[in-house]
Each structure stands twice: as C-alpha cells, then as structure tokens.
Amino acid sequence: MEKANQSVVSEFIFQGLCNSRELQTFFVLPFSILYSMTVVGNLLVVILIITDHHLHSPMYFLLANLSFIDFCLSSVTTPKLTTDFLKDNKTISFGGCMSQILCVHFFGGGEMVLLVTMAYDRYVAICKPLHYSSIMNTQKCIWLVLMSWITGFVHAMSQLAMILELPFCGPRVVDSFFCDIPLVIKLACMDTRTLGAVINADSGVLATTCFIILLFSYTYTLLTVCLRSKDGASKALSTCTSHITVVVLFFGPCIFIYLWPLSITWVDKFLAVFYTVITPLLNPAIYTLRNREIKSAMDKLRENYLK
C-alpha cells in the first residue's frame, strides 16, 4: 500500500531575486565580493582571537563563536545564490532543500541564544566588575556556548521534523533564492495553515524569548550604570552600542519573516538577503571598528606578515 505522505518531488526550482537576466548578471560580482568579505572578515576575527593571548577573555571567546556562526550562516545560502545568477534553471534537490532549512535554523537559532549570552557577559562586566572573572570563568563560558549550539540544533530539528514527511507532489517553484519553511510548506499537497502556524510559533517563541531577554538585559545594564555615576551612561552606551546594533540587525528581519510576515514578495526577498548575506558581513565590522584590542591584534598580525 502506497504511503500517503510519500514525496514525489525530487527537486525544487528557485525563482531567484529577480527575473531580469541583465540584473542577475550584474549581481554576480557584488554578491561574490560581499561573500568574500564575509568569509575574510569573520575568519579573520576568529584567527585574531585564537592567536593573540591578549584576546583570550570571555567577551572575545563569545565574539569568535559569533563570527564563526555568521560565516556558516552566510555559507549556507550565498554561494548558491551567486552561482544561480548565472543559471537559467535554478534547481536544488529535495535533500539539499531540507539541508538548507536545517542549517539556516541551526545557525540562526544558535546565534539568537549566543547574543543573549553576550548580553549576559556585558551585564556582568558592567554591573559586577569585581566578580566578573569568577562569574564568567572558562568552564561557564564553554557551557554557555555549548547551550547556544544545542538550542540551535534542537530548534532546527523540531522545524525539520514537522515538514520532512509532508507530501510534495506537484508545485515545486520556491519564490526565493533559498529554501525556507514559510515558502516550502506552501508547496505541500495538503492544507498547511495549521502546521504553518505551529512552525511559525516555534520560531516565534525562540526569537521573542531571546529578544525580550536582550531588551531587559541591556535596559537594566544601562539603568544600573546611570544610577551609579553621571558619566556611566555614556560609558555603558559606548560598550553596549555594538551589541545592541547587532541585535537590531539580526532580530529585525526575523520578526518580519516569522512573527509578522508582510507577504510582499520583494520585501520578503530583501529581508532574506539582509538576514543571510548582509548581517553576517556587518557583524565583524560593527564589533571591530571601535575595538582597540582587535585593532591592536590586527596591527601585530600585519607587522608579523610584513617581516
């Protein structure tokens, strides 16, 4: 007896960012440059933190993990997006599509929890400086990072489990440049409105919980320092600005994609590009532009290279 949930679709077809052949050809170089800068920027941060002993602190350990996650998140979608600009038939296998969904939610979910961990690190550093080294010890840092990876994996597996056995027996055109759940479940040969709500709720709970914790964490940190000293507000704001900027850039698109979908195709594609291409590129720049220790480590690396 044939299984009702057996998929007969072996591959999906991407619509891509646009239909214009000229625009697609034009986009090849910019997106290739953006991805190259993302790879170099994030891996450079990781290498600097590993090789420079002055950067062997909890904050930089967490930053190295964030850079690695950003590198992985961008690598899931951007290389295929770039090569597909040169193709008329933009296809991806069923297994490849499911792998993209798994990886995007794995790295995306992990980054959400890691940003919460980084907020906690800044709270301890600013509000409890005398106890910082004892609270944020090596063992605790490793445990917090492992929790972010585990949470991302559990979230991704829960998302994948809900769609892996859906019947895909007809439509196979995904109106985007990568496989994401809201678009893929629309192609299933069944009513997926309830399932879609459950899947969005799953992503929404994780995103909302992390965002609320981050909001309260940074607000409490700034208020605490304001009450302690007159110039404390500016110092705390200077310390937390990069973190807050990354939080807004990361969670902004997530909110509109999963929690408050606009259902406007070009907006959805723009948010997807921002989420998977632009944000991983901006993060290393945001964290390093005003960071003296990172700049010093880069100068040392440059000097050693020129010797």
Side-chain angles (χ1 to χ4, degrees):
M1 188 169 132
E2 186 178 357
K3 292 182 181 178
N5 65 350
Q6 185 174 356
S7 173
V8 295
V9 172
S10 61
E11 64 180 17
F12 294 98
I13 300 172
F14 292 141
Q15 286 279 75
L17 286 182
C18 60
N19 295 323
S20 170
R21 187 62 188 167
E22 291 76 15
L23 271 179
Q24 292 184 57
T25 303
F26 170 77
F27 282 147
V28 172
L29 183 59
F31 276 86
S32 297
I33 294 173
L34 287 174
Y35 179 65
S36 299
M37 292 173 64
T38 300
V39 172
V40 172
N42 282 290
L43 292 185
L44 178 61
V45 170
V46 174
I47 292 171
L48 286 174
I49 293 172
I50 291 175
T51 56
D52 194 318
H53 70 276
H54 293 102
L55 301 179
H56 291 177
S57 66
M59 183 180 76
Y60 293 112
F61 175 68
L62 298 175
L63 178 57
N65 277 272
L66 178 67
S67 293
F68 182 71
I69 288 180
D70 281 330
F71 159 70
C72 294
L73 180 61
S74 181
S75 298
V76 173
T77 58
T78 311
K80 179 160 180 57
L81 166 64
T82 306
T83 56
D84 278 350
F85 283 135
L86 301 173
K87 300 177 183 177
D88 293 323
N89 193 24
K90 304 172 178 61
T91 61
I92 186 171
S93 66
F94 181 85
C97 184
M98 296 300 110
S99 297
Q100 271 196 340
I101 290 173
L102 176 68
C103 291
V104 166
H105 285 269
F106 174 41
F107 296 122
E111 181 160 344
M112 289 181 187
V113 181
L114 186 60
L115 288 172
V116 173
T117 301
M118 295 177 75
Y120 174 70
D121 172 73
R122 290 300 84 202
Y123 158 74
V124 176
I126 294 172
C127 298
K128 299 182 179 181
L130 298 179
H131 304 283
Y132 180 72
S133 58
S134 60
I135 295 176
M136 295 299 293
N137 55 61
T138 303
Q139 184 178 359
K140 188 169 186 177
C141 287
I142 294 173
W143 182 82
L144 288 170
V145 168
L146 282 176
M147 284 302 299
S148 69
W149 285 98
I150 292 171
T151 303
F153 180 74
V154 172
H155 166 67
M157 290 302 295
S158 68
Q159 295 276 290
L160 189 64
M162 286 187 278
I163 67 166
L164 196 56
E165 295 300 321
L166 285 177
F168 296 97
C169 53
R172 58 195 184 108
V173 178
V174 179
D175 193 9
S176 186
F177 59 91
F178 77 103
C179 286
D180 200 10
I181 292 178
L183 298 174
V184 173
I185 62 173
K186 291 180 180 179
L187 306 179
C189 301
M190 62 175 287
D191 186 355
T192 58
R193 285 176 294 183
T194 302
L195 180 63
V198 173
I199 289 175
N200 283 340
D202 184 5
S203 295
V205 167
L206 178 62
T208 303
T209 302
C210 290
F211 186 72
I212 290 174
I213 293 173
L214 287 165
L215 186 64
F216 276 102
S217 175
Y218 284 119
T219 301
Y220 181 80
T221 300
L222 293 173
L223 288 176
T224 301
V225 179
C226 284
L227 295 174
R228 288 183 179 177
S229 61
K230 294 180 179 180
D231 62 339
S234 60
K235 291 181 179 179
L237 184 60
S238 176
T239 304
C240 297
T241 294
S242 58
H243 293 252
I244 294 171
T245 303
V246 168
V247 167
V248 172
L249 290 176
F250 185 79
F251 281 90
C254 290
I255 289 172
F256 285 105
I257 292 173
Y258 297 105
L259 300 179
W260 191 17
L262 299 176
S263 299
I264 303 174
T265 302
W266 72 267
V267 175
D268 291 340
K269 290 183 180 181
F270 170 78
L271 291 174
V273 169
F274 199 89
Y275 172 65
T276 60
V277 180
I278 305 300
T279 301
L281 169 65
L282 292 178
N283 282 356
I286 291 170
Y287 278 113
T288 58
L289 283 177
R290 299 173 62 187
N291 191 299
R292 294 179 181 177
E293 288 81 5
I294 291 287
K295 289 181 180 179
S296 176
M298 291 180 66
D299 291 338
K300 290 179 182 178
L301 185 66
R302 190 183 302 113
E303 291 173 2
N304 292 333
Y305 179 76
L306 294 176
K307 285 182 179 179

